[in-house]
Amino acid sequence: MRLAFRQYGESGQPLVILHGLFGSRENWHSICLSLQAAYRVFALDQRNHGESPHAAEMDYGSMAEDVAEFLVQQELPRAHVLGHSMGAKTAMQLALLHPQQVQSLISVDMASTAYPPRHERILEGLLALDLDSSTNRQQLEQTLERWVPDLATRRFLLKNARRTDSGFRWRIGLKEIAQNSARLNEAVAGEPYAGPVLFIRGETSDYLGQQDLPGILKLFPRAQMRTIPRAGHLVHVDNPEVFANEIIRFLSRPD
């Protein structure tokens, strides 16, 4: 699969960035701008997201292979790989399957283990929206409020609704995501990755904590964990400057 992407910067070591569920490469624009002076940054749209193709199969193995293929297409023998949430598990699975392609790994607010279902109400609400007969975004926001009370979250999700001549359409593969939602909660697996790994968590997030470290170290024995203050699950949004500085510190360390 040929993934859509945007490149920032023309020199430096390559850094691949993978967004989370319902997101896109656009969510990482500001962070990419802050990193492009030192790194050649590639922000990707994962399958069924953004401008990338839709596919019926969607699990961490297939998404990791997408990224491995992307690196070959761009003639990048190795790259630093950073992923957030769903993208973090894709990055982890890539490192476990193709360690030779991953120079270092950064997992943002996601552990390597399985998670209980978290997005059923969101998926139910998105699938219930009648995009063809909707005339404006405010109407979509008001309808979605029944399932997603938080306005900021609703607006984030509805970035995936594109206006057409008659209503809206989803640019994400919503049905494909819904059909594979259970697989997106699964753990990653494989032979341990021996390269350097940074796990970053948001201070107020419940996605990743010290209790996850023993399981992480079984797969990523060189892993270290950092906590970003005043940040939840969207670490890069809640405290972008501290987050970007932590990324630079890790990537510029002497091996």
Side-chain angles (χ1 to χ4, degrees):
M1 178 176 291
R2 191 169 287 273
L3 299 178
F5 72 98
R6 178 172 176 179
Q7 180 176 339
Y8 298 77
E10 298 296 332
S11 61
Q13 296 178 352
L15 168 62
V16 171
I17 294 182
L18 305 172
H19 61 80
L21 184 63
F22 304 121
S24 74
R25 67 183 190 268
E26 296 170 0
N27 307 141
W28 286 82
H29 178 67
S30 296
I31 296 295
C32 291
L33 289 176
S34 69
L35 297 172
Q36 67 177 354
Y39 300 95
R40 191 158 38 124
V41 184
F42 298 86
L44 276 56
D45 284 335
Q46 297 193 84
R47 63 170 59 195
N48 294 317
H49 288 77
E51 303 297 333
S52 284
H54 296 179
E57 183 180 12
M58 189 178 183
D59 57 29
Y60 291 114
S62 60
M63 290 190 287
E65 293 299 338
D66 290 342
V67 182
E69 184 179 343
F70 171 83
L71 294 173
V72 173
Q73 292 164 357
Q74 298 301 313
E75 299 181 349
L76 300 172
R78 301 181 77 202
H80 303 288
V81 184
L82 180 158
H84 171 251
S85 198
M86 178 189 77
K89 277 198 168 174
T90 301
M92 285 185 254
Q93 191 63 69
L94 174 67
L96 296 172
L97 292 175
H98 300 285
Q100 73 282 358
Q101 291 183 290
V102 180
Q103 187 167 348
S104 71
L105 169 67
I106 302 173
S107 171
V108 183
D109 216 55
M110 181 62 67
S112 56
T113 56
Y115 281 77
R118 301 183 75 121
H119 300 104
E120 281 74 7
R121 289 288 291 171
I122 287 176
L123 285 167
E124 182 182 349
L126 295 178
L127 289 167
L129 293 179
D130 184 1
L131 266 61
D132 291 334
S133 62
S134 297
T135 58
N136 57 68
R137 290 189 180 276
Q138 185 177 11
Q139 181 182 356
L140 292 172
E141 289 174 5
Q142 291 173 346
T143 304
L144 189 58
E145 184 176 9
R146 172 184 168 187
W147 293 273
V148 185
D150 181 67
L151 178 59
T153 303
R154 294 201 302 276
R155 288 179 173 172
F156 167 77
L157 294 168
L158 290 172
K159 287 181 179 180
N160 292 300
R162 286 278 180 86
R163 186 181 293 276
T164 68
D165 293 336
S166 56
F168 292 82
R169 67 172 179 84
W170 292 117
R171 67 171 182 169
I172 55 173
L174 181 58
K175 291 183 179 179
E176 291 87 348
I177 293 171
Q179 290 167 356
N180 290 280
S181 60
R183 306 198 73 177
L184 298 179
N185 294 321
E186 294 176 348
V188 295
E191 293 298 316
Y193 169 71
V197 182
L198 175 63
F199 280 76
I200 294 179
R201 63 177 298 272
E203 181 180 32
T204 62
S205 174
D206 63 352
Y207 275 77
L208 176 64
Q210 291 295 327
Q211 72 279 0
D212 297 305
L213 203 50
I216 286 170
L217 290 171
K218 291 179 180 178
L219 290 176
F220 306 100
R222 292 179 62 188
Q224 54 183 289
M225 187 180 292
R226 295 287 186 270
T227 299
I228 303 299
R230 302 180 302 282
H233 185 55
L234 298 177
V235 186
H236 56 296
V237 175
D238 296 337
N239 201 338
E241 183 176 354
V242 173
F243 174 80
N245 288 339
E246 195 66 53
I247 298 303
I248 293 170
R249 182 203 64 79
F250 175 72
L251 293 181
S252 61
R253 77 208 175 284
D255 276 327

